[in-house]
Amino acid sequence: MNAVESAGAARGAGVADAPGADGDARRRAAGAEDSGAAAVIDPTALVARIRAWGGELGFSAIGIADLDVAEASARLAAWLADGRHGTMDYMARHAPLRADPTQLLPGALRAITARMDYLPTGTAADWAERETRRLGEGEAAVVSVYARGRDYHKVLRQRLQALASRIEAEAGRFGYRVCTDSAPVFEVELARRSGIGWRGKHTLLLSREAGSMFFLGEILTDLPLPPDAPIDEHCGSCTRCLDACPTGAITAPYEVDARRCLSYLTIEHDGPIPEPLRPLIGNRVYGCDDCQLACPWNKFARTATLPDFDVRHGLDVATLVELFAWSEREFDARHAGSAIRRIGHERWLRNIAVALGNAPTRPQVVRALQARRDDPSPLVREHVAWALARHGEPADPLARPAA
């Protein structure tokens, strides 16, 4: 699901910096060497069972990929050399691990790739149009659809681990490592190679059956499973995702400059948001779905089969003023178990301050900003001062640019 691996931060990818973020699975794999031989089983038959078990666990597609990531590695090297990763230093630091999955799992031969749909249950057929209209409601707080429910890392990790356990019960002990957007692997490339989708021009994976509103996960394994073949691309001459990007972050087909990407700026970036880009953020406070809302294939997006991704705490209807009033304790409590909690209260307020600066000049908007004019955080104070100036409020002489 993430675009970080090849072209910038999208939907909060690159969540964990540490290569051992999925350490339980790695330790299990290491112990496989002295566990005895795996059961003799037909690999083709095993793959069929893996697909069936995956469906039972809530995955909408399962594929098998070889681990040839040379092309993606070259793309990443060029992207890093251009500095388009912004402050995501871990992308450069872990590039050698991405280039060689056997460094993550010695003896790895294949990746079992999995796709899980995340549109909340009960989502209306015209959801994309509704989300687009909400972007035009100046006082609405827009949170990326994927982040409105439970943290997908936890959901996918548990279910991928359950899938690995089912395989082990059938085939005997084997080496594996579960990866859920928190280990340095080329997720989109492996998913593409496994045939469960193709890489769209916005760099996210696309499927004719499910659009792009889904998460990806993998199980690296030493089982010699027969790999699936990649499928053809179906973007044709369409450039709607490029045209829809509010900051021009999709600089060319299949290329994203993270430094301009609103998902990167509101999630990964921990410093001041560049002033020229602030007006372009609009009312987006966490992530950005614009390129997906514009994609014709998302008319086929599917709702989740699990309740985990249902909207929590009214994040689909919340206002900027409402969310800006949350204390740090309220932020932590309401985002417990959510991917949003990772950015912390300070960045949350920074993002909302910018959105309030872009909101219509109304008394409740100005009052909300004035209430945080003396916030303890220099980062928040600077963004609040910028927002107030947008509404014609005099600059606070005590507000200083954040370091």
Side-chain angles (χ1 to χ4, degrees), residues 29-259:
E33 298 177 22
D34 55 13
S35 62
V40 177
I41 189 167
D42 175 39
T44 302
L46 179 57
V47 168
R49 292 191 179 98
I50 292 171
R51 295 192 208 279
W53 296 331
E56 293 171 6
L57 288 166
F59 294 108
S60 55
I62 296 288
I64 309 297
D66 62 37
L67 301 182
D68 181 1
V69 294
E71 182 180 335
S73 295
R75 222 168 31 234
L76 175 62
W79 185 70
L80 291 169
D82 287 344
R84 286 183 283 172
H85 57 302
T87 59
M88 294 184 292
D89 295 337
Y90 60 84
M91 294 296 297
R93 195 160 56 246
H94 296 159
L97 294 176
R98 292 180 190 272
D100 182 9
T102 64
Q103 293 191 47
L104 297 172
L105 177 73
L109 296 173
R110 300 286 187 266
I112 301 169
T113 66
R115 194 179 76 206
M116 182 174 283
D117 304 312
Y118 66 71
L119 281 182
T121 54
T123 296
D126 64 343
W127 67 271
E129 290 80 4
R130 294 187 185 196
E131 293 292 335
T132 301
R133 285 197 300 270
R134 189 164 166 78
L135 289 170
E137 299 169 8
E139 292 188 61
V142 177
V143 173
S144 190
V145 175
Y146 85 89
R148 297 174 187 173
R150 190 179 172 214
D151 187 346
Y152 67 95
H153 300 89
K154 298 177 181 179
V155 178
L156 266 70
R157 185 178 296 121
Q158 291 169 357
R159 291 181 178 264
L160 286 169
Q161 180 60 51
L163 179 57
S165 296
R166 293 285 295 272
I167 298 170
E168 187 173 67
E170 178 81 8
R173 187 68 70 88
F174 69 102
Y176 70 88
R177 175 169 177 168
V178 168
C179 303
T180 55
D181 194 25
S182 55
V185 298
F186 285 109
E187 288 202 318
V188 172
E189 177 65 8
L190 291 174
R192 183 194 72 80
R193 295 188 71 83
S194 73
I196 65 174
W198 74 93
R199 186 168 174 260
K201 293 178 182 178
H202 49 17
T203 76
L204 301 172
L205 195 75
L206 278 171
S207 164
R208 297 180 74 171
E209 298 81 32
S212 63
M213 308 301 283
F214 49 75
F215 299 119
L216 296 175
E218 306 79 36
I219 302 175
L220 297 179
T221 177
D222 60 4
L223 292 172
L225 302 172
D228 294 307
I231 62 174
D232 293 335
E233 296 183 4
H234 296 281
C235 288
S237 60
C238 179
T239 59
R240 292 189 193 180
C241 58
L242 282 79
D243 300 336
C245 182
T247 61
I250 309 176
T251 56
Y254 315 106
E255 295 184 16
V256 171
D257 188 336
R259 296 166 297 185

Side-chain angles (χ1 to χ4, degrees), residues 372-393:
R372 290 202 180 271
R373 185 173 240 163
D374 299 321
D375 192 272
S377 164
L379 181 69
V380 174
R381 287 200 307 272
E382 189 273 316
H383 286 74
V384 166
W386 174 86
L388 283 169
R390 297 263 291 176
H391 294 292
E393 289 291 301

Side-chain angles (χ1 to χ4, degrees), residues 328-400:
E328 185 169 8
R329 179 176 296 180
E330 288 173 314
F331 172 86
D332 288 339
R334 293 175 186 180
H335 287 320
S338 162
I340 299 175
R341 189 178 181 186
R342 174 178 83 86
I343 70 170
H345 189 236
E346 182 184 49
R347 270 189 264 178
W348 175 253
L349 294 180
R350 175 201 64 181
N351 296 346
I352 301 173
V354 171
L356 284 168
N358 296 327
T361 302
R362 292 174 180 159
Q364 64 269 27
V365 170
V366 175
R367 283 196 301 269
L369 288 165
Q370 288 173 333
R372 290 202 180 271
R373 185 173 240 163
D374 299 321
D375 192 272
S377 164
L379 181 69
V380 174
R381 287 200 307 272
E382 189 273 316
H383 286 74
V384 166
W386 174 86
L388 283 169
R390 297 263 291 176
H391 294 292
E393 289 291 301
D396 183 349
L398 297 179
R400 297 286 185 268

